[in-house]
Short mmCIF file of all heavy atoms in Angstrom, two decimals:
data_model
loop_
_atom_site.label_atom_id
_atom_site.label_comp_id
_atom_site.label_asym_id
_atom_site.label_seq_id
_atom_site.Cartn_x
_atom_site.Cartn_y
_atom_site.Cartn_z
N GLY A 1 -6.34 -1.55 -6.40
CA GLY A 1 -5.67 -0.43 -5.73
C GLY A 1 -6.61 0.32 -4.79
O GLY A 1 -6.23 0.70 -3.68
N ALA A 2 -7.85 0.52 -5.22
CA ALA A 2 -8.82 1.21 -4.36
C ALA A 2 -9.11 0.39 -3.11
O ALA A 2 -9.24 0.94 -2.00
CB ALA A 2 -10.11 1.47 -5.14
N MET A 3 -9.18 -0.92 -3.26
CA MET A 3 -9.42 -1.80 -2.10
C MET A 3 -8.23 -1.73 -1.13
O MET A 3 -8.42 -1.61 0.09
CB MET A 3 -9.64 -3.24 -2.56
CG MET A 3 -10.92 -3.44 -3.31
SD MET A 3 -11.03 -5.15 -3.92
CE MET A 3 -12.47 -5.03 -4.97
N LEU A 4 -7.03 -1.81 -1.67
CA LEU A 4 -5.84 -1.77 -0.81
C LEU A 4 -5.69 -0.41 -0.14
O LEU A 4 -5.28 -0.34 1.03
CB LEU A 4 -4.59 -2.12 -1.63
CG LEU A 4 -4.56 -3.55 -2.17
CD1 LEU A 4 -3.31 -3.75 -3.03
CD2 LEU A 4 -4.64 -4.58 -1.07
N ASP A 5 -6.01 0.66 -0.84
CA ASP A 5 -5.97 1.99 -0.24
C ASP A 5 -6.92 2.08 0.95
O ASP A 5 -6.58 2.64 1.99
CB ASP A 5 -6.33 3.07 -1.27
CG ASP A 5 -5.23 3.33 -2.28
OD1 ASP A 5 -4.08 2.87 -2.06
OD2 ASP A 5 -5.53 3.97 -3.31
N ALA A 6 -8.11 1.52 0.80
CA ALA A 6 -9.08 1.54 1.91
C ALA A 6 -8.56 0.73 3.09
O ALA A 6 -8.70 1.16 4.25
CB ALA A 6 -10.42 0.97 1.44
N LEU A 7 -7.93 -0.41 2.82
CA LEU A 7 -7.36 -1.21 3.91
C LEU A 7 -6.28 -0.43 4.64
O LEU A 7 -6.21 -0.46 5.88
CB LEU A 7 -6.80 -2.52 3.35
CG LEU A 7 -7.82 -3.54 2.86
CD1 LEU A 7 -7.13 -4.66 2.11
CD2 LEU A 7 -8.64 -4.08 4.01
N ARG A 8 -5.44 0.26 3.91
CA ARG A 8 -4.37 1.05 4.53
C ARG A 8 -4.94 2.18 5.38
O ARG A 8 -4.43 2.47 6.46
CB ARG A 8 -3.44 1.61 3.46
CG ARG A 8 -2.54 0.58 2.86
CD ARG A 8 -1.54 1.22 1.87
NE ARG A 8 -1.03 0.19 1.00
CZ ARG A 8 -1.36 0.04 -0.28
NH1 ARG A 8 -2.19 0.88 -0.86
NH2 ARG A 8 -0.85 -0.93 -0.99
N ARG A 9 -5.99 2.83 4.88
CA ARG A 9 -6.61 3.92 5.64
C ARG A 9 -7.19 3.44 6.96
O ARG A 9 -7.16 4.14 7.96
CB ARG A 9 -7.74 4.58 4.83
CG ARG A 9 -7.29 5.57 3.81
CD ARG A 9 -8.46 6.39 3.27
NE ARG A 9 -9.61 5.61 2.84
CZ ARG A 9 -9.78 5.11 1.61
NH1 ARG A 9 -8.87 5.32 0.68
NH2 ARG A 9 -10.85 4.42 1.31
N MET A 10 -7.73 2.23 6.96
CA MET A 10 -8.39 1.70 8.16
C MET A 10 -7.42 1.03 9.13
O MET A 10 -7.79 0.75 10.26
CB MET A 10 -9.47 0.69 7.76
CG MET A 10 -10.62 1.30 7.00
SD MET A 10 -11.56 2.48 7.96
CE MET A 10 -12.28 1.41 9.17
N ASP A 11 -6.21 0.77 8.69
CA ASP A 11 -5.24 0.07 9.54
C ASP A 11 -4.75 1.00 10.64
O ASP A 11 -4.25 2.09 10.36
CB ASP A 11 -4.07 -0.43 8.71
CG ASP A 11 -3.24 -1.47 9.43
OD1 ASP A 11 -3.46 -1.69 10.63
OD2 ASP A 11 -2.36 -2.06 8.78
N THR A 12 -4.89 0.58 11.88
CA THR A 12 -4.48 1.41 13.01
C THR A 12 -3.02 1.19 13.39
O THR A 12 -2.50 1.90 14.24
CB THR A 12 -5.36 1.10 14.24
OG1 THR A 12 -5.26 -0.28 14.55
CG2 THR A 12 -6.81 1.47 13.96
N LEU A 13 -2.37 0.20 12.77
CA LEU A 13 -0.98 -0.09 13.09
C LEU A 13 -0.04 0.64 12.14
O LEU A 13 -0.36 0.84 10.96
CB LEU A 13 -0.70 -1.60 12.99
CG LEU A 13 -1.50 -2.52 13.91
CD1 LEU A 13 -1.12 -3.97 13.64
CD2 LEU A 13 -1.28 -2.17 15.36
N THR A 14 1.13 1.01 12.64
CA THR A 14 2.15 1.58 11.78
C THR A 14 2.75 0.47 10.93
O THR A 14 2.52 -0.72 11.19
CB THR A 14 3.28 2.24 12.61
OG1 THR A 14 3.97 1.20 13.32
CG2 THR A 14 2.74 3.28 13.57
N ARG A 15 3.55 0.82 9.97
CA ARG A 15 4.18 -0.18 9.11
C ARG A 15 5.06 -1.13 9.93
O ARG A 15 5.03 -2.34 9.74
CB ARG A 15 5.01 0.51 8.03
CG ARG A 15 5.66 -0.48 7.09
CD ARG A 15 6.39 0.23 6.01
NE ARG A 15 5.41 0.50 4.96
CZ ARG A 15 5.69 1.08 3.81
NH1 ARG A 15 6.90 1.49 3.57
NH2 ARG A 15 4.77 1.28 2.90
N ASP A 16 5.83 -0.59 10.88
CA ASP A 16 6.68 -1.43 11.74
C ASP A 16 5.83 -2.36 12.61
O ASP A 16 6.14 -3.54 12.75
CB ASP A 16 7.57 -0.57 12.64
CG ASP A 16 8.70 0.09 11.89
OD1 ASP A 16 9.01 -0.36 10.76
OD2 ASP A 16 9.29 1.04 12.42
N GLU A 17 4.77 -1.82 13.20
CA GLU A 17 3.89 -2.64 14.02
C GLU A 17 3.23 -3.74 13.19
O GLU A 17 3.10 -4.87 13.63
CB GLU A 17 2.81 -1.79 14.69
CG GLU A 17 3.34 -0.88 15.78
CD GLU A 17 2.32 0.15 16.23
OE1 GLU A 17 1.40 0.50 15.45
OE2 GLU A 17 2.43 0.61 17.37
N ARG A 18 2.83 -3.40 11.97
CA ARG A 18 2.22 -4.39 11.07
C ARG A 18 3.22 -5.51 10.77
O ARG A 18 2.88 -6.69 10.76
CB ARG A 18 1.76 -3.71 9.78
CG ARG A 18 1.29 -4.65 8.69
CD ARG A 18 0.02 -5.41 8.93
NE ARG A 18 -1.01 -4.60 9.47
CZ ARG A 18 -1.89 -5.04 10.38
NH1 ARG A 18 -1.84 -6.26 10.81
NH2 ARG A 18 -2.82 -4.25 10.84
N GLY A 19 4.48 -5.15 10.52
CA GLY A 19 5.51 -6.16 10.26
C GLY A 19 5.71 -7.08 11.45
O GLY A 19 5.81 -8.30 11.30
N ARG A 20 5.74 -6.51 12.65
CA ARG A 20 5.88 -7.33 13.86
C ARG A 20 4.67 -8.23 14.06
O ARG A 20 4.79 -9.40 14.41
CB ARG A 20 6.09 -6.44 15.09
CG ARG A 20 7.47 -5.78 15.12
CD ARG A 20 7.78 -5.15 16.46
NE ARG A 20 6.84 -4.10 16.83
CZ ARG A 20 7.03 -2.80 16.62
NH1 ARG A 20 8.14 -2.39 16.03
NH2 ARG A 20 6.14 -1.91 17.01
N PHE A 21 3.49 -7.68 13.81
CA PHE A 21 2.26 -8.46 13.93
C PHE A 21 2.28 -9.63 12.95
O PHE A 21 1.93 -10.76 13.31
CB PHE A 21 1.04 -7.56 13.68
CG PHE A 21 -0.26 -8.31 13.71
CD1 PHE A 21 -0.87 -8.62 14.91
CD2 PHE A 21 -0.88 -8.70 12.53
CE1 PHE A 21 -2.07 -9.31 14.94
CE2 PHE A 21 -2.08 -9.38 12.55
CZ PHE A 21 -2.67 -9.69 13.75
N ASN A 22 2.67 -9.37 11.70
CA ASN A 22 2.72 -10.43 10.70
C ASN A 22 3.72 -11.51 11.09
O ASN A 22 3.46 -12.70 10.91
CB ASN A 22 3.05 -9.86 9.32
CG ASN A 22 1.90 -9.08 8.73
OD1 ASN A 22 0.75 -9.25 9.12
ND2 ASN A 22 2.19 -8.22 7.78
N ARG A 23 4.86 -11.10 11.62
CA ARG A 23 5.89 -12.05 12.06
C ARG A 23 5.33 -12.93 13.19
O ARG A 23 5.50 -14.15 13.18
CB ARG A 23 7.12 -11.28 12.53
CG ARG A 23 8.28 -12.14 12.89
CD ARG A 23 9.54 -11.28 13.13
NE ARG A 23 10.46 -12.06 13.92
CZ ARG A 23 11.02 -11.65 15.03
NH1 ARG A 23 10.78 -10.44 15.50
NH2 ARG A 23 11.85 -12.43 15.68
N LEU A 24 4.65 -12.33 14.12
CA LEU A 24 4.06 -13.05 15.23
C LEU A 24 2.98 -14.01 14.73
O LEU A 24 2.94 -15.18 15.12
CB LEU A 24 3.47 -12.04 16.22
CG LEU A 24 2.97 -12.58 17.55
CD1 LEU A 24 3.32 -11.58 18.65
CD2 LEU A 24 1.48 -12.78 17.51
N GLU A 25 2.13 -13.53 13.85
CA GLU A 25 1.05 -14.36 13.32
C GLU A 25 1.59 -15.55 12.52
O GLU A 25 1.08 -16.66 12.64
CB GLU A 25 0.14 -13.49 12.44
CG GLU A 25 -1.15 -14.18 12.05
CD GLU A 25 -2.10 -13.24 11.34
OE1 GLU A 25 -1.76 -12.79 10.24
OE2 GLU A 25 -3.17 -12.95 11.91
N LYS A 26 2.63 -15.33 11.73
CA LYS A 26 3.22 -16.42 10.94
C LYS A 26 3.83 -17.48 11.85
O LYS A 26 3.69 -18.68 11.60
CB LYS A 26 4.26 -15.88 9.96
CG LYS A 26 3.65 -15.21 8.77
CD LYS A 26 4.70 -14.68 7.82
CE LYS A 26 4.03 -13.90 6.70
NZ LYS A 26 5.00 -13.26 5.82
N ALA A 27 4.51 -17.03 12.90
CA ALA A 27 5.11 -17.99 13.84
C ALA A 27 4.02 -18.82 14.51
O ALA A 27 4.15 -20.04 14.63
CB ALA A 27 5.94 -17.25 14.89
N GLU A 28 2.95 -18.17 14.91
CA GLU A 28 1.85 -18.88 15.57
C GLU A 28 1.19 -19.88 14.61
O GLU A 28 0.92 -21.03 14.99
CB GLU A 28 0.82 -17.89 16.08
CG GLU A 28 -0.23 -18.50 16.96
CD GLU A 28 -1.13 -17.45 17.62
OE1 GLU A 28 -0.71 -16.29 17.76
OE2 GLU A 28 -2.26 -17.83 17.98
N GLN A 29 0.95 -19.48 13.38
CA GLN A 29 0.33 -20.37 12.40
C GLN A 29 1.23 -21.56 12.09
O GLN A 29 0.77 -22.70 11.99
CB GLN A 29 0.01 -19.62 11.11
CG GLN A 29 -1.15 -18.66 11.24
CD GLN A 29 -1.34 -17.80 9.99
OE1 GLN A 29 -0.51 -17.80 9.08
NE2 GLN A 29 -2.42 -17.05 9.97
N SER A 30 2.51 -21.29 11.93
CA SER A 30 3.47 -22.35 11.62
C SER A 30 3.52 -23.38 12.75
O SER A 30 3.48 -24.59 12.51
CB SER A 30 4.85 -21.74 11.39
OG SER A 30 5.81 -22.75 11.18
N LEU A 31 3.60 -22.89 13.97
CA LEU A 31 3.65 -23.80 15.12
C LEU A 31 2.35 -24.59 15.28
O LEU A 31 2.37 -25.77 15.63
CB LEU A 31 3.96 -23.04 16.41
CG LEU A 31 5.41 -22.61 16.58
CD1 LEU A 31 5.55 -21.67 17.76
CD2 LEU A 31 6.30 -23.82 16.75
N THR A 32 1.23 -23.95 15.03
CA THR A 32 -0.06 -24.65 15.12
C THR A 32 -0.09 -25.81 14.13
O THR A 32 -0.53 -26.91 14.47
CB THR A 32 -1.23 -23.67 14.86
OG1 THR A 32 -1.20 -22.65 15.85
CG2 THR A 32 -2.57 -24.39 14.90
N GLY A 33 0.42 -25.57 12.94
CA GLY A 33 0.49 -26.63 11.93
C GLY A 33 1.43 -27.75 12.34
O GLY A 33 1.13 -28.93 12.16
N GLN A 34 2.57 -27.39 12.90
CA GLN A 34 3.56 -28.40 13.31
C GLN A 34 3.10 -29.20 14.51
O GLN A 34 3.30 -30.42 14.57
CB GLN A 34 4.89 -27.72 13.65
CG GLN A 34 5.61 -27.13 12.47
CD GLN A 34 6.82 -26.29 12.92
OE1 GLN A 34 7.22 -26.32 14.07
NE2 GLN A 34 7.38 -25.54 11.98
N LEU A 35 2.51 -28.51 15.48
CA LEU A 35 2.15 -29.15 16.74
C LEU A 35 0.76 -29.79 16.72
O LEU A 35 0.46 -30.64 17.56
CB LEU A 35 2.22 -28.13 17.89
CG LEU A 35 3.57 -27.45 18.12
CD1 LEU A 35 3.44 -26.32 19.13
CD2 LEU A 35 4.60 -28.49 18.58
N GLY A 36 -0.09 -29.33 15.82
CA GLY A 36 -1.45 -29.83 15.78
C GLY A 36 -2.32 -29.28 16.90
O GLY A 36 -3.38 -29.82 17.21
N ARG A 37 -1.88 -28.19 17.51
CA ARG A 37 -2.61 -27.53 18.59
C ARG A 37 -2.11 -26.10 18.68
O ARG A 37 -1.04 -25.78 18.14
CB ARG A 37 -2.37 -28.23 19.93
CG ARG A 37 -0.90 -28.23 20.33
CD ARG A 37 -0.67 -28.74 21.75
NE ARG A 37 0.74 -28.93 22.02
CZ ARG A 37 1.60 -27.95 22.29
NH1 ARG A 37 1.21 -26.71 22.31
NH2 ARG A 37 2.88 -28.23 22.52
N PRO A 38 -2.85 -25.23 19.36
CA PRO A 38 -2.34 -23.86 19.55
C PRO A 38 -1.06 -23.88 20.39
O PRO A 38 -0.99 -24.58 21.40
CB PRO A 38 -3.47 -23.15 20.30
CG PRO A 38 -4.70 -23.97 20.02
CD PRO A 38 -4.21 -25.38 19.87
N PRO A 39 -0.03 -23.16 19.96
CA PRO A 39 1.22 -23.15 20.71
C PRO A 39 1.12 -22.30 21.98
O PRO A 39 0.28 -21.40 22.07
CB PRO A 39 2.22 -22.53 19.73
CG PRO A 39 1.38 -21.67 18.85
CD PRO A 39 0.05 -22.36 18.74
N THR A 40 1.98 -22.59 22.91
CA THR A 40 2.06 -21.78 24.12
C THR A 40 2.85 -20.51 23.81
O THR A 40 3.55 -20.42 22.79
CB THR A 40 2.77 -22.54 25.25
OG1 THR A 40 4.13 -22.77 24.87
CG2 THR A 40 2.07 -23.86 25.57
N GLU A 41 2.77 -19.55 24.71
CA GLU A 41 3.54 -18.32 24.54
C GLU A 41 5.03 -18.60 24.51
O GLU A 41 5.78 -18.00 23.74
CB GLU A 41 3.20 -17.33 25.66
CG GLU A 41 1.78 -16.80 25.57
CD GLU A 41 1.40 -15.90 26.72
OE1 GLU A 41 2.01 -15.97 27.81
OE2 GLU A 41 0.46 -15.09 26.51
#
């Protein structure tokens, strides 16, 4: 809990922005795995 609290304090993104960032990151990782290369925009 203390570790997670510190992470939350240092996070500059709002909860909504964090959710969008995670969605974007997951899509990029998934495509990289499928394509075997970094995906295009």
Side-chain angles (χ1 to χ4, degrees):
M3 292 176 189
L4 295 177
D5 287 346
L7 290 169
R8 286 185 199 107
R9 279 193 310 271
M10 294 296 293
D11 195 352
T12 58
L13 299 178
T14 66
R15 182 177 274 183
D16 287 343
E17 290 168 335
R18 172 67 45 216
R20 288 192 299 265
F21 177 81
N22 288 340
R23 185 171 160 233
L24 188 142
E25 191 173 65
K26 284 179 185 175
E28 190 172 337
Q29 288 173 351
S30 176
L31 284 170
T32 299
Q34 291 172 11
L35 301 171
R37 61 171 170 76
T40 65
E41 292 176 337

